[in-house]
């Protein structure tokens, strides 16, 4: 069973909720304080091991992307309590849509599993003969359910999204997701990184404005591959949490079906993961990570 450490007390902030990586608080102003921790999740478990500086990397990278994208976002301020400086933002309260908005430009992960089983991803038929790392001619929208802590997000068809949020909203979520992905993929490619896939969360303001929320285009929510090493037909080198997934699956001796918690990460895996997150941030933004 996934358990989380108790969220730290922050003066002037009321703890509301903790997810796999983030702790959410309400400020006296009524705005939200979203804190990115150093927790690492994989296979629906929050691991015992943490990745030093991970929360700061996720926050810095999200803020950089929010600056680049011409889309309303939930950020109000980076003026946060000293206890969480560098790893938190003040953000709007929104009505969050209960859909993981996933865009894929390459075949990997659960998309590959679905394709191998059905020849489609989220009900979208794809050409035959695709392999791990194959690039799609046109990116696809492959939504998923938003699972509770310890549960697994499930890929669903577009029809399920329509049934959940209505046809008009579903179309806006799909189109906005693909527009952002297409823009971000081009920017990443200019910097030598393939953005294979990513997921977004959206909410609505009281006036109905669609707002990009949570984190955006980070190594936790995306697959980043070195462009000069891309080779379809094999597992791709990555700048994301695939390092952790691969170690747990193939090297740690852990049995995913056992119901037992994953083992602690080795120091080498922790440092390699930390370094990959920082490398992704620095290569994408052109900025030095200060820690």
């Amino acid at each position: 069973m996934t358990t989380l450490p108790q969220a730290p007390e922050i003066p002037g902030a009321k703890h509301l909720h903790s997810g796999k990586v983030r702790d959410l608080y309400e400020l006296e102003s009524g705005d939200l304080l979203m804190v990115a921790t150093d927790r690492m999740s994989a296979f629906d478990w929050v691991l015992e091991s943490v990745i030093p500086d991970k929360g700061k990397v996720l926050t810095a990278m999200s803020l950089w992307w929010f600056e680049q994208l011409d889309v309303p976002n939930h950020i109000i301020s980076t003026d946060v309590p000293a206890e969480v400086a560098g790893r938190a933002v003040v953000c709007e309260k929104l009505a969050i849509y209960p859909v993981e908005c996933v865009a894929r430009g390459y075949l990997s992960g659960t998309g590959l599993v679905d394709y191998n089983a059905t020849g489609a991803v989220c009900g979208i038929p794809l050409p035959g003969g695709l392999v791990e790392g194959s690039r799609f001619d046109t990116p696809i929208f492959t939504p998923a359910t938003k699972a509770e802590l310890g549960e697994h997000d499930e890929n669903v068809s577009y029809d399920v999204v329509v049934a959940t949020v209505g046809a008009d909203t579903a179309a806006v979520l799909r189109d906005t997701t693909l527009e952002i992905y297409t823009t971000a993929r081009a920017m990443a490619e200019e910097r030598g990184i393939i953005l294979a896939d990513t997921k977004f969360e959206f909410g609505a303001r009281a006036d109905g404005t669609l707002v990009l929320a949570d984190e955006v285009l980070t190594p936790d929510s995306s697959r980043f591959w070195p462009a000069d090493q891309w080779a379809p037909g094999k597992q791709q080198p990555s700048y994301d949490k695939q390092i952790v997934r691969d170690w747990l699956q193939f090297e740690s001796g852990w049995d995913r079906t056992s119901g037992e918690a994953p083992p602690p990460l080795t120091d080498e895996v922790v440092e390699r993961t930390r370094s990959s997150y920082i490398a992704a941030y620095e290569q994408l933004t052109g900025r030095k990570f200060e820690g």
Side-chain angles (χ1 to χ4, degrees):
M1 180 178 179
T2 295
T3 57
L4 295 174
Q6 185 172 353
E9 292 188 9
I10 300 176
K14 175 186 176 183
H15 177 247
L16 297 178
H17 172 75
S18 289
K20 293 175 183 176
V21 174
R22 285 169 179 75
D23 296 327
L24 191 66
Y25 298 81
E26 184 177 39
L27 299 173
E28 294 172 349
S29 64
D31 297 324
L32 299 177
L33 179 71
M34 189 175 73
V35 181
T37 73
D38 291 339
R39 295 193 293 265
M40 172 62 78
S41 68
F43 303 115
D44 305 316
W45 289 89
V46 176
L47 306 184
E48 177 182 332
S49 306
V50 298
I51 308 298
D53 291 322
K54 177 173 173 278
K56 292 183 176 180
V57 173
L58 298 184
T59 300
M61 186 174 287
S62 290
L63 288 170
W64 184 81
W65 278 113
F66 282 132
E67 292 172 3
Q68 314 307 310
L69 299 171
D70 186 22
V71 180
N73 66 69
H74 70 154
I75 301 297
I76 294 174
S77 171
T78 56
D79 183 11
V80 299
E83 295 90 339
V84 290
R87 61 174 62 248
V89 294
V90 179
C91 54
E92 296 180 61
K93 279 187 177 179
L94 301 167
I96 299 296
Y97 292 109
V99 178
E100 295 279 3
C101 293
V102 181
R104 300 178 189 271
Y106 294 76
L107 188 60
S108 191
T110 59
L112 178 63
V113 173
D114 287 356
Y115 173 78
N116 286 339
T118 68
V121 181
C122 293
I124 301 171
L126 295 172
L130 301 183
V131 295
E132 167 72 46
S134 290
R135 180 183 172 109
F136 303 141
D137 291 337
T138 303
I140 58 175
F141 178 63
T142 59
T145 58
K146 289 172 64 68
E148 296 297 322
L149 183 65
E151 300 297 323
H152 184 61
D153 293 346
E154 295 290 342
N155 292 347
V156 296
S157 69
Y158 180 69
D159 289 343
V160 172
V161 180
V162 171
T164 302
V165 301
D168 290 346
T169 298
V172 173
L173 291 175
R174 177 196 60 201
D175 295 349
T176 305
T177 294
L178 292 173
E179 287 169 7
I180 297 172
Y181 172 76
T182 300
T183 297
R185 181 173 72 168
M187 292 178 62
E189 287 177 350
E190 291 173 356
R191 293 158 172 81
I193 290 179
I194 288 174
L195 174 60
D197 57 44
T198 194
K199 65 179 179 179
F200 302 119
E201 289 199 28
F202 294 96
R205 293 176 180 148
D207 65 1
T209 301
L210 186 75
V211 179
L212 185 57
D214 199 55
E215 66 178 319
V216 60
L217 295 158
T218 74
D220 263 20
S221 64
S222 315
R223 281 187 172 84
F224 292 125
W225 299 336
D228 61 357
Q229 298 180 54
W230 173 58
K234 66 178 184 64
Q235 189 74 45
Q236 308 299 315
S238 71
Y239 291 106
D240 51 57
K241 67 163 68 174
Q242 195 63 43
I243 294 168
V244 171
R245 296 189 191 104
D246 288 349
W247 182 83
L248 288 172
Q249 280 188 288
F250 307 123
E251 300 179 48
S252 71
W254 175 57
D255 179 1
R256 286 182 62 185
T257 65
S258 67
E260 297 180 358
L265 303 177
T266 66
D267 291 345
E268 187 271 338
V269 171
V270 168
E271 180 51 37
R272 191 150 51 94
T273 304
R274 176 183 180 274
S275 296
S276 75
Y277 274 49
I278 292 173
Y281 170 77
E282 293 185 342
Q283 188 164 335
L284 281 169
T285 68
R287 301 172 180 175
K288 180 72 174 174
F289 177 69
E290 302 296 341

